[in-house]
Amino acid sequence: MPVAIQVTNVPVEIDNDKCIADKGCRTCIDVCPLDVLCINEDTGKAYMKYDECWYCMPCEVDCPTNAVKVSIPYLLR
Ligand code: SF4
Ligand code: SF4
């Protein structure tokens, strides 16, 4: 039987092609009550720096370009 190796992903993914943080947007970072989103200095885009999330959703809802995708765990839906 194959060993299940699960690559753990952070719950919030940001589409670098859509994110306009390099044009000054900080909306998701500003609205997150946990301060887990940051700017990646290399890419100039937002990303999830800390793997912690309340699944409260304003980052996804308020992003002007729909770049944020929050993956809510099945048991919380
Ligand atoms: S709100 Fe959207 S566009 Fe703005 S920094 Fe966050 S992910 Fe990028
Ligand atoms: S869902 Fe809430 S806690 Fe999670 S990253 Fe977005 S704003 Fe922050």
Side-chain angles (χ1 to χ4, degrees), residues 14 18-21 25-29 39 46 59 63-65 67-68:
I14 289 159
K18 292 182 179 174
C19 178
I20 53 170
C25 184
R26 295 289 183 272
T27 301
C28 59
I29 294 164
I39 298 294
C59 56
C63 173
T65 61
V68 183

Side-chain angles (χ1 to χ4, degrees), residues 21-67:
D22 48 349
K23 295 186 173 66
C25 184
R26 295 289 183 272
T27 301
C28 59
I29 294 164
D30 290 344
V31 294
C32 177
L34 281 177
D35 280 338
V36 291
L37 305 176
C38 287
I39 298 294
N40 181 324
E41 297 298 337
D42 292 331
T43 62
K45 309 288 184 170
Y47 78 113
M48 183 164 228
K49 184 171 183 182
Y50 304 102
D51 189 359
E52 172 105 36
C53 189
W54 286 345
Y55 306 104
C56 53
M57 302 306 281
C59 56
E60 180 176 309
V61 172
D62 292 351
C63 173
T65 61
N66 274 329

